[in-house]
């Protein structure tokens, strides 16, 4: 029973991180109609920046509790990168065929992957000190790090905040209006360019936050972003590109299937995920909750 | 674009054939003037050209962007590796004989699923399916060797008439394999030329340009897309089959989705709106990547910058830019 509880908690932990990545991807697609292939790499940048900052903090003797502030800082750095990228690289492509948008983000992926190697080298960068700061709790006779519960909590809080921001604020209305009809929104006087920058920034922030909160539990390594992107694709395909609810449901489905897969059919674990995604695309092309 | 097509139609095929013959002559002479390494590199280039040529039937002529063509390349490569390990003769013809049907069946199967969608969903679906193959190759290590991959010995060419086990076998193999791949490339290019200029090819372009109108004309759109997918995947698979004996090893890397990205890059580099674009792209990309890898540890960064710049300033690729420059020159000459 305790093992089951821990497996469920592990699934939720993974779901929380996946949701952050996939919701950002989905938000960007929903508003800007761009599938950002570099999204996974932005998640990896978040992980690297946070791990590096935590490492610097420890070297400078910053009190350990304060180091938790590095998590949002890492996410903000990624958001800043996004705010620079959008007007510089993506804006010229909104009126052109979507092949070019995919290609430019693929180029961006290659650049980001190698920049991380250039800056932080090939050795994994760890920030597990943060995990050791928090106590280890007992769940029915088994030990479980409390930090994992924090990650789950962050996922839930961000999901609620994002939902509130999109459906209950004025900016959310602007966001949805732009997503539904860009030209009409522009004609009604909305600053579409600003909405795009902010939407892309929020999407990147979420990817960065995913990386930041995951890095204390597992070190930042090269290639983590490229792997994460493909799983995030599975999530949004199952849930529906552009749907927040879809990203949430997709993340939960994928993480539970994956946890069960690692337990019962480790060889086929990834294949099963992709097959589920392909199956959903066949039956419901727009995903479970997609409208596009 | 429209003007360009008319210009092409206005000219006879004779100068084009002459140009192709000249290029072919140069390619035939290459091994007598360059060392083994350069020849080997050019074989890789020709193979990349075949892969991109197949890919471009989908992107350039059918208007479907596949982000999973590594699957067909990899299936071709792994089929050869399995044949070499478990079935008898180490003969290139035998590899092709077994490999081509396997690749064709695989692309037919995957294509049947994928062509139900277009645009971005088509791209994601092809990517997801190619990753199924990747994860199987990675995880079923007792069959596929996992991340170590499978080794493939040097095969005999021309039904065992030429084998390469002597100490100087490598140089001989490279030279003869060059002509072997060149011959197959020529066959592939001619075949693709016939396909895209046939009524079938015209129908694909019609579907690409205006799906609704094509449907009004009574074309079975999904069927055309499916056959296009099948042919496209098979060409890329042939490239995979030819690639393995040269590389001597196949690893899951060729199945990973970033490898599909490289195939897309190749087609774009040459220009996917032209028939010759992917061929030029394949050869140029091979050299670009080889020299980028040799000159800097951060070659991926270099390629990424090239790709972004290309998309920003040269969206029609090398061949597109050249033909446009040529057109402008001709117009200026016509004006004076």
């Amino acid at each position: 029973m305790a093992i089951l509880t821990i497996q469920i908690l592990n699934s939720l932990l993974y779901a929380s991180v996946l949701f952050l990545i996939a919701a950002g991807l989905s938000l960007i697609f929903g508003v800007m109609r761009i599938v950002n292939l570099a999204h996974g790499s932005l998640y990896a940048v978040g992980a690297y920046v946070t791990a590096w900052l935590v490492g610097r903090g420890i070297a400078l003797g910053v009190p350990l509790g304060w180091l938790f502030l590095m998590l949002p800082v890492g996410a903000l750095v990624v958001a800043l990168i996004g705010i620079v990228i959008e007007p510089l690289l993506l804006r010229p492509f909104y009126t052109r065929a979507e092949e070019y948008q995919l290609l430019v983000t693929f180029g961006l992926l290659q650049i980001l992957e190698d920049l991380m190697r250039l800056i932080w080298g090939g050795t994994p960068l760890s920030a597990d000190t943060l995990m050791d700061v928090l106590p280890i709790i007992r769940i029915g006779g088994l030990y479980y790090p409390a930090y994992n519960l924090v990650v789950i909590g962050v996922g839930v809080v961000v999901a609620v905040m994002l939902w509130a921001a999109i459906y209950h604020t004025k900016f959310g209305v602007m966001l949805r209006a732009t997503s539904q009809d860009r030209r009409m929104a522009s004609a009604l006087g909305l600053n579409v360019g600003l909405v795009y920058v902010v939407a892309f920034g929020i999407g990147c922030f979420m990817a960065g936050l995913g990386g930041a909160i995951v890095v204390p539990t597992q070190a930042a390594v090269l290639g983590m972003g490229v792997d994460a992107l493909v799983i995030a694709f599975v999530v949004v395909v199952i849930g529906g590109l552009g749907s927040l609810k879809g990203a949430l449901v997709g993340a939960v489905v994928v993480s539970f299937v994956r946890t069960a897969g690692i337990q019962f059919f480790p060889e086929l674990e990834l294949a099963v995920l992709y097959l589920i995604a392909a199956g959903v695309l066949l039956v419901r092309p727009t995903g479970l909750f997609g409208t596009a | 674009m429209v003007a360009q097509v008319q210009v092409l139609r206005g000219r006879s095929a004779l100068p084009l054939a002459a140009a192709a013959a000249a290029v072919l002559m140069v390619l035939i002479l290459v091994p007598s003037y360059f060392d083994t390494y350069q020849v080997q590199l050019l074989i890789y280039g020709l193979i990349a050209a075949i892969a991109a040529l197949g890919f471009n039937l989908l992107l350039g002529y059918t208007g479907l962007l596949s982000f999973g063509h590594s699957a067909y390349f990899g299936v071709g490569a792994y089929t050869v590796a399995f044949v070499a390990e478990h079935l008898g003769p180490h003969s290139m013809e035998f590899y092709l004989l077994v490999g081509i049907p396997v690749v064709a069946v695989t692309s037919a199967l995957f294509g049947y699923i994928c062509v139900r969608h277009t645009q971005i969903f088509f791209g994601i679906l092809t990517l997801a399916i190619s990753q199924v193959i990747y994860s199987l190759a990675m995880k079923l290590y007792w069959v596929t060797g996992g991340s170590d991959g499978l080794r493939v010995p040097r095969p005999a060419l021309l039904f065992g008439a030429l084998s390469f086990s002597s100490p100087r076998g490598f140089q001989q193999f490279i030279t003869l394999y060059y002509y072997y791949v060149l011959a197959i490339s020529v066959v592939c290019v001619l075949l693709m030329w016939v396909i895209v200029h046939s009524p079938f090819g015209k129908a694909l372009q019609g579907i690409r340009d205006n799906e609704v109108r094509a449907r009004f004309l009574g074309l079975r759109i999904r069927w055309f897309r499916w056959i296009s997918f099948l042919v496209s995947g098979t060409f890329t698979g042939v490239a995979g089959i030819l690639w393995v004996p040269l590389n001597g090893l196949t690893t899951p890397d060729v199945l990973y989705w970033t490898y599909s990205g490289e195939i897309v890059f190749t087609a774009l580099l040459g220009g996917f709106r032209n028939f010759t674009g992917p061929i030029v792209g394949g050869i140029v990309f091979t050299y670009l990547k080889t020299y980028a890898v040799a000159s800097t540890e951060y070659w991926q960064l270099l390629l990424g910058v090239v790709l972004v710049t290309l998309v920003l300033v040269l969206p029609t690729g090398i061949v597109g830019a050249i033909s446009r420059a040529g057109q402008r020159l001709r117009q200026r000459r016509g004006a004076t």
Side-chain angles (χ1 to χ4, degrees):
Chain A
M1 197 56 215
I3 292 178
L4 186 68
T5 315
I6 285 191
Q7 291 289 22
I8 290 175
L9 282 177
N10 278 340
S11 303
L12 288 175
L13 166 85
Y14 190 48
S16 168
V17 176
L18 266 185
F19 168 75
L20 287 174
I21 306 172
L25 189 70
S26 212
L27 179 76
I28 291 172
F29 177 81
V31 177
M32 305 157 78
R33 303 282 138 185
I34 277 189
V35 173
N36 182 13
L37 290 179
H39 201 73
S41 307
L42 290 165
Y43 153 79
V45 170
Y48 266 106
V49 169
T50 309
W52 181 76
L53 285 173
V54 168
R56 296 303 305 161
I58 292 169
L60 292 171
V62 176
L64 290 177
W66 285 94
L67 288 178
F68 279 95
L69 281 181
M70 294 304 143
L71 301 182
V73 171
L76 276 176
V77 169
V78 179
L80 275 180
I81 296 175
I83 288 172
V84 174
I85 287 174
E86 197 274 338
L88 213 63
L89 284 181
L90 299 182
R91 197 160 289 178
F93 292 98
Y94 295 137
T95 49
R96 282 168 57 182
E98 61 189 4
E99 286 88 26
Y100 293 111
Q101 302 170 356
L102 273 183
L103 280 166
V104 83
T105 55
F106 183 71
L108 199 59
L109 170 148
Q110 290 188 307
I111 294 172
L112 284 176
E113 287 295 316
D114 251 16
L115 275 181
M116 281 185 268
R117 202 148 59 94
L118 182 72
I119 298 171
W120 290 291
T123 42
L125 210 57
S126 149
D128 48 7
T129 329
L130 285 185
M131 202 154 164
D132 301 337
V133 173
L134 293 180
I136 289 182
I137 55 173
R138 285 175 66 93
I139 296 175
L142 291 168
Y143 295 101
Y144 199 70
Y147 181 81
N148 288 6
L149 300 178
V150 173
V151 174
I152 298 171
V154 169
V156 172
V157 169
V158 169
V160 170
M161 278 171 65
L162 197 64
W163 172 79
I166 290 179
Y167 293 102
H168 293 280
T169 64
K170 193 176 172 209
F171 178 74
V173 175
M174 287 159 69
L175 206 65
R176 283 180 287 145
T178 313
S179 135
Q180 276 175 13
D181 193 331
R182 187 194 160 168
R183 290 173 66 186
M184 184 53 103
S186 179
L188 288 173
L190 279 188
N191 186 347
V192 171
L194 186 69
V195 172
Y196 274 23
V197 172
V198 175
F200 196 74
I202 294 176
C204 292
F205 177 84
M206 303 208 19
L209 190 62
I213 61 170
V214 90
V215 80
T217 67
Q218 57 181 71
V221 290
L222 290 172
M224 68 186 283
V226 183
D227 291 339
L229 177 72
V230 187
I231 301 291
F233 264 158
V234 174
V235 170
V236 294
V237 160
I238 291 175
L241 255 177
S243 154
L244 186 62
K245 207 200 299 172
L248 188 62
V249 173
V252 172
V253 169
V254 167
S255 53
F256 274 84
V257 168
R258 209 169 176 199
T259 312
I262 290 168
Q263 194 77 15
F264 300 115
F265 40 92
E267 288 83 19
L268 298 174
E269 159 238 335
L270 280 172
V272 165
L273 279 184
Y274 300 128
L275 286 178
I276 292 177
V280 168
L281 262 186
L282 281 183
V283 183
R284 274 188 70 94
T286 52
L288 297 179
F289 300 98
T291 46
Chain B
M1 189 55 220
V2 176
Q4 206 173 318
V5 171
Q6 279 164 352
V7 167
L8 269 180
R9 200 172 290 155
R11 277 184 297 175
S12 76
L14 208 64
L16 205 69
V23 171
L24 191 61
M25 274 309 288
V26 172
L27 284 175
I28 286 173
L29 289 174
V30 162
S32 7
Y33 292 98
F34 290 91
D35 58 7
T36 312
Y37 174 68
Q38 292 297 334
V39 176
Q40 195 183 0
L41 213 54
L42 197 54
I43 307 179
Y44 278 117
L46 288 173
I47 290 170
I50 299 177
L53 192 68
F55 166 82
N56 201 42
L57 181 66
L58 267 185
L59 177 62
Y61 290 93
T62 320
L64 293 170
L65 173 60
S66 158
F67 241 87
H69 256 51
S70 64
Y72 316 106
F73 192 91
V75 164
Y78 269 93
T79 306
V80 170
F82 290 145
V83 169
E85 199 164 281
H86 302 293
L87 296 175
H90 293 306
S91 150
M92 198 59 219
E93 288 73 30
F94 187 63
Y95 292 168
L96 284 166
L97 199 70
V98 179
I100 292 175
V102 171
V103 183
V105 169
T106 314
S107 1
L109 191 70
F110 288 0
Y112 185 73
I113 302 171
C114 293
V115 294
R116 288 153 182 271
H117 298 279
T118 55
Q119 297 181 330
I120 214 81
F121 290 104
F122 177 83
I124 295 178
L125 195 54
T126 49
L127 194 152
I129 287 186
S130 79
Q131 288 309 289
V132 175
I133 304 277
Y134 167 77
S135 65
L136 288 180
M138 206 64 176
K139 294 285 177 83
L140 302 177
Y141 52 88
W142 58 91
V143 192
T144 62
S147 55
D148 290 343
L150 293 171
R151 296 191 60 80
V152 178
R154 233 173 271 154
L157 300 181
L158 299 179
F159 304 101
L162 305 162
S163 63
F164 310 93
S165 44
S166 65
R168 279 188 47 81
F170 179 69
Q171 273 93 342
Q172 283 177 358
F173 174 72
I174 291 300
T175 312
L176 288 169
Y177 198 60
Y178 172 77
Y179 287 115
Y180 197 86
V181 172
L182 185 62
I184 292 179
S185 309
V186 170
V187 172
C188 285
V189 169
L190 289 177
L191 205 60
M192 189 58 89
W193 177 265
V194 170
I195 290 173
V196 302
H197 289 85
S198 68
F200 171 76
K202 296 293 175 202
L204 291 182
Q205 290 161 56
I207 293 170
R208 173 197 71 193
D209 291 338
N210 196 330
E211 189 183 333
V212 178
R213 201 175 286 180
R215 187 174 290 135
F216 282 166
L217 290 173
L219 296 179
R220 284 182 296 161
I221 292 183
R222 197 183 282 176
W223 187 83
F224 274 99
R225 283 188 175 139
W226 184 40
I227 300 298
S228 170
F229 195 106
L230 165 66
V231 175
S232 168
T234 309
F235 268 74
T236 307
V238 168
I241 295 169
L242 291 173
W243 174 81
V244 176
L246 183 66
N247 204 52
L249 175 77
T250 173
T251 58
D253 291 349
V254 293
L255 285 164
Y256 202 50
W257 70 274
T258 46
Y259 195 77
S260 304
E262 280 187 11
I263 298 178
V264 182
F265 188 171
T266 303
L268 187 92
L269 181 67
F272 67 91
R273 288 291 191 198
N274 297 78
F275 181 79
T276 43
I279 305 170
V280 174
I283 292 169
V284 173
F285 179 79
T286 304
Y287 278 90
L288 190 70
K289 188 176 171 184
T290 307
Y291 285 101
V293 170
S295 60
T296 164
E297 192 186 338
Y298 304 103
W299 56 272
Q300 222 188 336
L301 179 69
L302 199 68
L303 287 185
V305 172
V306 170
L307 179 59
V308 171
T309 324
L310 203 69
V311 178
L312 278 172
V313 302
L314 213 68
T316 49
I318 299 172
V319 175
I322 291 175
S323 76
R324 207 165 36 171
Q327 215 174 319
R328 207 168 289 163
L329 206 69
R330 220 172 298 125
Q331 274 171 359
R332 199 169 299 164
R333 209 182 292 156
T336 51

